[in-house]
Amino acid sequence: MKRLLTLLAAATLSMGLFAQERGVEVDYNRPQKYFLGGVEVEGNHYFSSTQIIQLTGLQEGMELTIPGEDVSAIVKRLSLQRFFDDVSLDIDRLNATRDSVWLKIRIVERPRVSRWTFSGVKSGEKKDLQERLSLRRGGEFSAYVEKTACDIIKRYYAEKGFLNCSVKAEVQNDTIIKNAIRVNFAVDRDVKVKVREINFIGNDHVKEFKLARSMKKTKSRKWYNFFHSKKFDAKEYPADKKNLLSAFNEAGYRDARIVKDTMYYIEPGRLGIDITVEEGDKYYFRDVSWTGNSVYTTETLNEILGINKGDVYDVVSMEKRLYGGGKQNEYDVSKLYRDNGYLFFNVTPVETNIQNDSVDVEMRISEGKQATLANIVINGNDLTSEKVVRRQVFTRPGYLFSQTDFERSIREIASLGQFDQEAIADPNTGYSIVPNSVTNTVDIVYNVTEKPSSQLELSGGWGGHTFVATAGVSFNNFSTHRILDKSAWRPVPLGDAQNLSFHFQTNGSYYTAISAGFTEPWLTGKKPTSLNLSAYYTRQTASNSGSYYNYFYNYTVDRILEIYGFSASVGTRLKWPDNYFVLYNGLSWQTYKLTNWYQGYFFFQDGLSHNFSYQLTLARNSTDQQIYPRQGSDFSTNLQLTPPYSLLRRHTYDAKGNKVAVKSWKDVDYDATDASGNMLWSSGDRYRWIEYWKVKMNFANYTKLVGDLVLMTRAQFGYLGYYNRNWGYSPFEGFLVGGDGMSGYSTYGNDIIPLRGYPNYSLTPYTTTKYNSNGSAYAGNLYDKFTVELRYPVILQPSSTIFALIFFEGGNCWSDIRNFNPFQIKRAAGIGARIFLPMIGLLGVDWGYGFDNADSSQRSQFHFIIGQQF
């Protein structure tokens, strides 16, 4: 206001003085009316004269009273623009009849900022500050701009825990650009303020641990807050005080209050907080009644509420059972109604009587009418076809609203892998529920955020004394429907959530593998029936060309292993027991060709084997997302079997190699030898068509403990069975247990089972065989494995996901089911980290310690993980 009066006074004085120099007398006691003959502007550099005149509202020919409020208002209007340091409005001249006036606007423009800079900040922080401040080159600099910018910078650092941050704006004239300045914000963050201790005073009946846990963002330096930030956030502190009172309310102390709280510095940057509370009396529930309920009976509602007479008056738990927010999969009254379409349902608990330590509560219900889904809107799918998203959602126009179906839709969209999983689950930006109480309808808007889903894999692994490099590409949003569209090839047609992958693996002359796969998640386009196709070829050699194996083992002849095959499967989503279950049926064919192969992996070293099998898999996955699941479970059981060829066989061989008929398959002795000890059954005859049945089970459960801290538990089991004990176990399809699980060059023929803390395959037993010159081979026919992991995220962003983990696991492998002992496990523990990059996939490193490794020098193991989970 003082500045405005000064401007008005200056304008009036200037106008009077200038008028007198021109011979124009202005009597301030007798204002006169004039017609505006014209306006000129003086002193402007950045704004044109037309722009400034438009700001005043002056128009030629309009009538003005001088002096008067019109003139004062013009000066005030220009001053409020904050573009000028000084503004004056003067009479330039009058016409001969002295009824028209020409005015001149004299301004002094504020200097413009040619450059904004920051000092005392990190490069990443500089970018954040620029986005928050929205400062542009050429903008004006005023006291208002200076104060606003400094306050924003202080708030930014306060959120990071730098409560004592100071900011000073340093202004320098630009020596190159006329009437321009350079502004630098000098930031002194000081030390980060962290909470050292929180002392609770007056909590006689509620434990300190429970009170400390209730404060979500304000944490002291205690052992149980290891995974929490200790910085003090002034913005979150009031909410934490409310959470503190909720802990008392949960224990029945409804009258609890905070008497005072004191903050003080124990040392620079370390804060102490004393909170004095008054608990009050402890209360109990007496009578709980319901009014307004017509859809569900009082007995049904009481069963969900779970409150009995004499229970502690726990308001917090009562509200969770009414409105939700309790434990995972715990039902509440609101969800009961909302699952039946009652979106406008409302319940209000009212304390009707308080007598001594007993409280009567009446639940007043307004059921409303059922809401029907009207419009389902998908936003943000710039690349992925809308039909791909719509087929994932369970909310359909015309259906009654269901809270469960809505939550399932969010989960299914997140599990697609094409969108940011964190963004779609964010209630502020990921979705909107728009009810209309007039028409009893509701619109649902899903706001998806596209993220790169295709992956380029360039990786390496060490296994079997050799380094194996892998190159591959996986298009996880491929579209066969757009193949003929030339404009869609950028670089390949995308948008239908199909998967097309190609992989090439080699270590040079010794090992080469090529594979290709295709997945269509919705084969018919109307039902979630998936089609999976894959083909592969692998070749391993050891020859006189100077390979690694020749150097160490002195091979003198070529040794070759070739594996090629094809598989196809169809998956169908089931409705029973629930629609999380998927049933897969598949056929696969593999051919193994061994030429003088000697590694101890297989029972024989020369021959050709065919593997034709049928697979049946029942799977259920209810996790909330793929990369970093916080809740849900993942279960699968798999049965793989071949025809029982040996049960159909009615012949054997004599000492001369001639076929001899037998009455039954039981009469065939596959281990019979001649007088020289040679096998009567050659490996080519015995294993030309391999036979087996195999069962695998895998169960993983994810539980959110505190915040984003997740407990993952997993149990695995596998057994390779036989139809005929005389024929024995299959030489292929066994289990190699131990190590990091990177398959190296053993891509097919065995299941690779990781168990950290032990060398690769070191837990796999051997058995004797007369079909290879080594006399033994891997014989992992049965295994079990148990894992417990604590996971905590470091970064959860579309561009990358990083989380750290602590693991405990154990398992073992046996050659025969008769030797199986589930308590004879090899134990390990360790730490690790994972990073998921959309263009590369999952990468990780673990350090594990194998407690039961007989070789103590091998107990500490580092494992590198590429593209798979343990």
Side-chain angles (χ1 to χ4, degrees), residues 561-564 589-595 604-611 682-690 731-732:
L561 168 63
E562 290 181 287
I563 305 173
Y564 43 91
W589 163 74
Q590 287 177 315
T591 293
Y592 302 89
K593 185 179 180 181
L594 287 75
T595 304
F604 62 94
Q605 63 188 50
D606 281 293
L608 186 71
S609 287
H610 302 287
N611 177 10
S682 68
S683 60
D685 292 329
R686 183 172 180 176
Y687 297 124
R688 182 175 300 276
W689 290 94
I690 62 174
F732 305 103

Side-chain angles (χ1 to χ4, degrees), residues 336-360:
L336 175 69
Y337 272 91
R338 289 162 72 93
D339 275 351
N340 197 17
Y342 291 93
L343 179 61
F344 307 104
F345 161 85
N346 183 44
V347 56
T348 304
V350 178
E351 297 175 346
T352 57
N353 187 23
I354 301 175
Q355 186 174 1
N356 297 326
D357 64 350
S358 301
V359 182
D360 294 339

Side-chain angles (χ1 to χ4, degrees), residues 695-715:
V695 175
K696 293 187 294 184
M697 290 184 287
N698 186 354
F699 176 79
N701 187 70
Y702 301 87
T703 305
K704 183 164 63 172
L705 299 179
V706 179
D708 287 326
L709 179 64
V710 173
L711 174 67
M712 188 279 287
T713 55
R714 186 191 302 272

Side-chain angles (χ1 to χ4, degrees), residues 561-801:
L561 168 63
E562 290 181 287
I563 305 173
Y564 43 91
F566 175 82
S567 66
S569 65
V570 175
T572 304
R573 182 186 292 169
L574 305 180
K575 296 182 179 179
W576 185 89
D578 61 37
N579 56 13
Y580 285 104
F581 280 89
V582 180
L583 183 67
Y584 294 93
N585 291 273
L587 294 173
S588 66
W589 163 74
Q590 287 177 315
T591 293
Y592 302 89
K593 185 179 180 181
L594 287 75
T595 304
N596 198 31
W597 189 249
Y598 171 76
Q599 290 299 328
Y601 290 135
F602 306 120
F603 284 4
F604 62 94
Q605 63 188 50
D606 281 293
L608 186 71
S609 287
H610 302 287
N611 177 10
F612 179 73
S613 64
Y614 164 75
Q615 290 194 50
L616 179 67
T617 303
L618 180 64
R620 184 184 188 274
N621 187 342
S622 62
T623 56
D624 57 346
Q625 55 173 271
Q626 293 178 331
I627 307 303
Y628 189 78
R630 295 177 178 85
Q631 59 186 19
S633 61
D634 187 2
F635 162 80
S636 68
T637 179
N638 171 272
L639 172 65
Q640 184 177 2
L641 50 87
T642 66
Y645 303 108
S646 68
L647 302 185
L648 306 177
R649 194 166 289 150
R650 296 294 184 274
H651 72 274
T652 186
Y653 292 92
D654 59 18
K656 296 181 179 180
N658 300 317
K659 284 187 178 182
V660 178
V662 295
K663 293 182 179 180
S664 170
W665 57 268
K666 297 180 181 180
D667 299 326
V668 180
D669 184 3
Y670 293 96
D671 295 323
T673 60
D674 60 16
S676 301
N678 297 317
M679 301 290 293
L680 296 181
W681 279 83
S682 68
S683 60
D685 292 329
R686 183 172 180 176
Y687 297 124
R688 182 175 300 276
W689 290 94
I690 62 174
E691 64 179 44
Y692 61 88
W693 58 271
K694 183 163 67 171
V695 175
K696 293 187 294 184
M697 290 184 287
N698 186 354
F699 176 79
N701 187 70
Y702 301 87
T703 305
K704 183 164 63 172
L705 299 179
V706 179
D708 287 326
L709 179 64
V710 173
L711 174 67
M712 188 279 287
T713 55
R714 186 191 302 272
Q716 296 172 256
F717 173 83
Y719 175 60
L720 178 68
Y722 52 78
Y723 299 110
N724 181 353
R725 176 168 287 277
N726 291 337
W727 190 87
Y729 287 102
S730 168
F732 305 103
E733 298 300 325
F735 307 101
L736 299 180
V737 180
D740 52 29
M742 292 175 60
S743 59
Y745 57 84
S746 295
T747 306
Y748 302 102
N750 293 290
D751 286 357
I752 312 299
I753 309 300
L755 204 157
R756 292 162 286 188
Y758 295 87
N760 285 355
Y761 317 151
S762 62
L763 300 181
T764 309
Y766 283 86
T767 191
T768 58
T769 176
K770 293 184 178 181
Y771 287 115
N772 72 43
S773 55
N774 192 45
S776 63
Y778 281 128
N781 298 318
L782 174 66
Y783 87 96
D784 63 6
K785 179 185 171 184
F786 308 94
T787 303
V788 176
E789 278 187 4
L790 274 175
R791 300 177 172 185
Y792 191 78
V794 179
I795 296 176
L796 293 175
Q797 299 292 338
S799 57
S800 64
T801 297

Side-chain angles (χ1 to χ4, degrees), residues 167-299:
V167 184
K168 181 180 179 181
E170 300 173 342
V171 181
Q172 291 182 340
N173 291 325
D174 196 314
T175 58
I176 300 175
I177 302 175
K178 185 179 180 181
N179 198 32
I181 58 174
R182 295 181 178 181
V183 179
N184 176 67
F185 292 103
V187 179
D188 181 7
R189 299 187 306 176
D190 205 349
V191 296
K192 181 179 285 189
V193 177
K194 295 185 177 181
V195 179
R196 168 69 64 84
E197 60 183 38
I198 302 177
N199 301 309
F200 301 101
I201 303 167
N203 56 311
D204 300 326
H205 301 92
V206 182
K207 294 182 179 179
E208 178 181 334
F209 176 75
K210 183 175 182 179
L211 298 178
R213 288 286 302 275
S214 69
M215 302 181 75
K216 305 301 182 183
K217 299 294 183 180
T218 309
K219 299 291 184 179
S220 64
R221 201 171 69 175
K222 292 291 183 70
W223 65 267
Y224 46 76
N225 293 324
F226 179 79
F227 291 102
H228 294 277
S229 171
K230 313 304 183 299
K231 73 176 183 181
F232 180 76
D233 191 335
K235 189 167 63 174
E236 297 290 343
Y237 182 62
D240 273 340
K241 289 196 290 185
K242 292 182 179 179
N243 294 334
L244 179 65
L245 291 179
S246 295
F248 285 100
N249 297 155
E250 195 171 2
Y253 296 94
R254 65 182 292 275
D255 299 329
R257 66 187 185 93
I258 296 176
V259 178
K260 67 176 181 177
D261 61 301
T262 307
M263 288 181 284
Y264 52 92
Y265 282 102
I266 301 174
E267 60 184 64
R270 295 298 177 262
L271 198 64
I273 303 176
D274 292 341
I275 302 177
T276 303
V277 297
E278 185 180 284
E279 290 182 334
D281 296 329
K282 189 172 185 177
Y283 291 83
Y284 300 87
F285 282 103
R286 189 168 63 181
D287 294 328
V288 177
S289 59
W290 300 80
T291 61
N293 55 307
S294 61
V295 178
Y296 297 103
T297 64
T298 298
E299 290 75 15

